[in-house]
Amino acid sequence: MRQDPVLEVEDLHTHFFTRGGVARAVDGVSFSLHRGEILGLVGESGSGKSVTGMSILGLIDPPGRIVSGAVLYRGENLVAAGEKRLRQLRGNRIAMIFQDPMMTLNPVLSVETQMVETVLAHDRVSREQARERAREALARVGIPSPDERLAAYPHQFSGGMRQRVAIAIALLHQPDVIIADEPTTALDVTIQAQILFEVQKLCRETGTALVWITHDLAVVSGLADRVAVMYAGRIVETGTTVEVIDHARHPYTHGLLGSVPSRNKRGEPLAQIPGMTPSLLRLPEGCAFQPRCPRATAACLALPPLSGGDHGWRCFHPQEAAA
Amino acid sequence: MLVFLIRRIAQSAIVVAIMSVLVFTGIFAIGNPIDVLISPEADELERAAAIARLGLDRPLHEQFFAFAGNALSGDLGISFVHGVPAVELVLERFPATLELALLAMIIAVLIGIPLGIWAGLRPDSPAGRIIMAGSILGFSLPTFWVGMLLIMAFAVSLGWLPASGRGETVDVFGIPFSFLTADGLKHMLLPALNLALFKVSLVIRLARAGTREVALQDYVRFARAKGLSPARIVGVHILKNIMIPVVTVLGLEFGSVIAFSVVTESVFAWPGMGKLLIDSILLLDRPVVVAYLLVTVLLFIVINLVVDVLYSLLDPRIRLGGAKA
Amino acid sequence: MTAAAPASAPKVQTPLKRFVVEFFDSRVAVLGLGLLVLVVSSALLAPWIAPQDPYDLSKLDIMSGMLPPGSADMDGNVFWLGSDEQGRDLLSAIIYGLRTSLLVGFSSTAMALAIGLIVGMIAAYVGGSTDATIMRLVDIQLSFPAILIALILLAVLGKGVDKVIIALTAVQWAYYARTVRSAALVERRKEYVEAAQCLALPKQRVVLHHLLPNCLPPLIVVATVQVAHAITLEATLSFLGVGVPVTQPSLGMLIASGFDYMLSGEFWVSVFPGLALLITVVSINLVGDQMRDVLNPRLQH
């Protein structure tokens, strides 16, 4: 019933070769994404979720390097692709949105320049046509009087408006995939909700698949079709949003869910995951969560395989499927 | 913008007034020009006549007010040596210095920016290290000595370029310029290169530091994620950002290039106003020194003003005159 | 260090010790320091190491004038770097010239440092209109190129080593005043100064024992670079004919006196003093660069 996935990540390893040693920022990540699907990639800072996003587009700079694995866009392996081919795809078939809207737009170039150059980077159209496309894109993300706003500079926009501009830039070529790296984290909650709603709508309308990278499970639960939870460079649990949120099996996912404040837990102390995120330079042996895990045993000194099927988890002692 | 300009011009007028007092009293103390100007054989009567003619017999404050009054009408006195109005003498030499300084700035930007960006993009590469070492050397080399070495290499040994003078000039609106003739350009090349040396190092440093900072910004990553070519990223996104500090500093340094042309002009016998200043100091020609200084002060003020305006044009975040964006 | 016993207490490192250790981290800086020691010691020991006293006219023989480098005169004295038109050994002239150059560079910097320190401290500590006036003055002075100010001052004062030192001091003090003031203002807001004030320690004690030591690192960095600057500036002024007198030539003077010979191919009279000047300035700059990196990581480029 399903078509082939637009994007597949297979056993991706991205390491950073620093003076202090090798940091395995991404250590065997796999997932796949279908047309129009929204995947929430969840993890704490330092879990490797952003590096995963950058690796897909080949934007890892030294000392970082993709060591092994594959990124398949419609069956084409991007890890093996040359810089020229990657450049054809970036911003065109696979677009990216970054976290801080204050920083992603160049402060000394007008919005028009920054949008038109993106159109012209991939399509041979006249400057006038490119401008028209930019105008349409701004209108689509709900920016009022786009003609005037095109001539403006980024500092003349509010944070939320800037992120809308960034999203409009990502939408210029109607990409197959958008990788959004915490795009709403820096925004006010109300603006965050508006943008979430609109992004969801746009993806549904255009069939664009979305990788939504975030540390916020609450955001993901309202937005994503599927969720992948990352810890220390590995995906520890993955499945449909309902399965992962309501029937979490990995103790780490459990811990994350327990630390989200919600109405029905009011008055109770919030659960905390004991201990600290391990340094990527000195990861514990086996399951990286084992030193902090309440259920850990000697078996956890070996790396647990991904168990389960469509709803998978990397744990020897998963929680029983809760009611 | 208008408010800003008016305020700046008023401030500048005060600076000029203060400077003219300082300059005048300072210069007054320079030796006794009569000893230089009058032949030792002249008798007392001739001496007295000369002193009266030059107004040197009047008390200091009287001399100052006479000077200030004349200065306001653009008259800074007659050169003791050349017998023509000092301002005319300085202004006549000004185009030669200006064209030399401008060419030096252009050379500094054309060499410094590409090298600086290169070193900034690859700070740890051998090329990046060599460029930085070169810029330290450029800071350390004494200008006049380099000028001499240039003459020795290109004029004496190789015989490629002339060692002194302006060469053939072309009059534009009655002002002679060298840069419009091939011969003039040949004459300009060595002195301009010499004058540019220090600024090249400065531009390299600024461009390198700017590039290193800008290259790490999210908007550069975003530009890459948009699929832009490296040429566009470096040539537009990075360059436009680093041009802000480079233009600001270079603009402010333009005054010091004019001042430093004193050295270069002496080495290359370039007939600009720097050479005039040195000659006038050595000959105790007071009015010319005063005229040079006041012209330079005015020039600096104009430069600072132009830099501020340029700065606001380059950086859309800055708007002059309090009109908040 | 060999593997230390785990029980031993952590080694106490004084700031000075750490500074020395970090300084020697860079091979280039060590090279610079080595050259600088060589330059300074040869200047100090000039009378003992120079082959000839270049200013004792009775020792000069016009017959050995303009000898190219490495040639010997009739008595078998070798002129390693050649001689000038009066038969003066250039190596000796350079060693003596270094003395003048270094004397001018270091003493003008020291004097400017002292003046700038006092003025900057007053500006920072008194504040108000005193501060505003002083800083206005500093701004105006710094907006004019050093060479121009020095040139005019020397035109007024006349030639002489002492006058060059005065002119260079006048040119430089403003840098220090500004550096000291900003450093002092930063330090002043820190808690230890407030604490000292709360303890009602006398003002000069707060300034001398608390503010001053903490303002020193940026000042040392600026001063090192300024010494090199002052030496170059002195050479330039002497080249232009307004610096040191002929009787006490500096490197700049030596270079200038060789200018005419250079055009006729007798390069050594200008080139070797120039190289000596270059080595001096580069070595100081290398040391200064490393000091900046070690003393103030924020300034790193």
Side-chain angles (χ1 to χ4, degrees), chain A residues 61 91 103 106 114 117 122, chain B residues 217 219 226 232 237 241:
Chain A
D61 288 321
M103 301 301 300
N106 195 321
Q114 300 190 50
E117 69 179 2
H122 302 293
Chain B
Q217 298 293 324
Y219 54 76
K226 291 197 299 190
R232 171 121 192 139
H237 285 257
N241 275 286

Side-chain angles (χ1 to χ4, degrees), chain A residues 66-317:
Chain A
I66 297 177
V67 180
S68 64
V71 175
L72 301 175
Y73 164 72
R74 294 188 181 278
E76 178 186 357
N77 187 359
L78 301 187
V79 173
E83 182 62 23
K84 197 171 163 225
R85 174 66 183 146
L86 283 171
R87 211 160 71 225
Q88 284 175 354
L89 294 175
R90 286 180 198 146
N92 184 9
R93 305 322 318 147
I94 307 175
M96 198 155 179
I97 306 168
F98 290 98
Q99 174 173 2
D100 189 349
M102 301 296 178
M103 301 301 300
T104 49
L105 298 176
N106 195 321
V108 301
L109 300 176
S110 70
V111 167
E112 177 173 346
T113 309
Q114 300 190 50
M115 295 190 79
V116 166
E117 69 179 2
T118 315
V119 176
L120 295 180
H122 302 293
D123 289 339
R124 284 169 175 267
V125 294
S126 73
R127 188 157 276 279
E128 215 21 70
Q129 286 168 303
R131 214 184 101 85
E132 185 51 33
R133 291 242 309 257
R135 215 187 56 78
E136 282 166 13
L138 284 185
R140 209 172 336 147
V141 295
I143 288 184
S145 52
D147 273 311
E148 280 167 43
R149 305 313 274 167
L150 268 182
Y153 286 88
H155 70 275
Q156 293 163 316
F157 289 77
S158 68
M161 280 294 168
R162 280 193 230 194
Q163 199 58 289
R164 281 168 200 260
V165 172
I167 293 170
I169 290 175
L171 289 172
L172 277 172
H173 292 278
Q174 279 144 4
D176 296 321
V177 182
I178 293 179
I179 297 160
D181 188 355
E182 305 228 24
T184 57
T185 309
L187 302 177
D188 288 347
V189 181
T190 47
I191 295 164
Q192 186 176 338
Q194 285 173 15
I195 287 190
L196 283 177
F197 171 74
E198 274 167 37
V199 166
Q200 201 170 19
K201 197 178 83 183
L202 289 167
C203 286
R204 296 280 181 259
E205 282 168 14
T206 56
T208 302
L210 187 64
V211 179
W212 193 275
I213 298 169
T214 182
H215 65 270
D216 191 343
L217 265 176
V219 166
V220 161
S221 62
L223 176 77
D225 304 311
R226 294 179 60 81
V227 173
V229 179
M230 280 190 80
Y231 186 79
R234 299 190 186 108
I235 290 183
V236 293
E237 183 157 11
T238 176
T240 63
T241 307
V242 178
E243 278 171 335
V244 173
I245 302 283
D246 294 346
H247 310 284
R249 304 297 299 272
H250 197 283
Y252 176 65
T253 317
H254 249 272
L256 273 187
L257 286 166
S259 58
V260 175
S262 75
R263 214 173 0 186
N264 48 24
K265 286 192 286 190
R266 187 160 56 190
E268 299 169 31
L270 279 179
Q272 282 182 9
I273 304 174
M276 287 192 338
T277 322
S279 154
L280 288 173
L281 292 174
R282 280 178 298 278
L283 284 184
E285 225 176 300
C287 172
F289 188 58
Q290 140 256 319
R292 300 168 74 184
C293 183
R295 304 168 78 94
T297 61
C300 298
L301 289 173
L303 181 63
L306 203 60
S307 328
D310 194 42
H311 178 193
W313 53 88
R314 217 179 253 285
C315 185
F316 289 120
H317 314 289

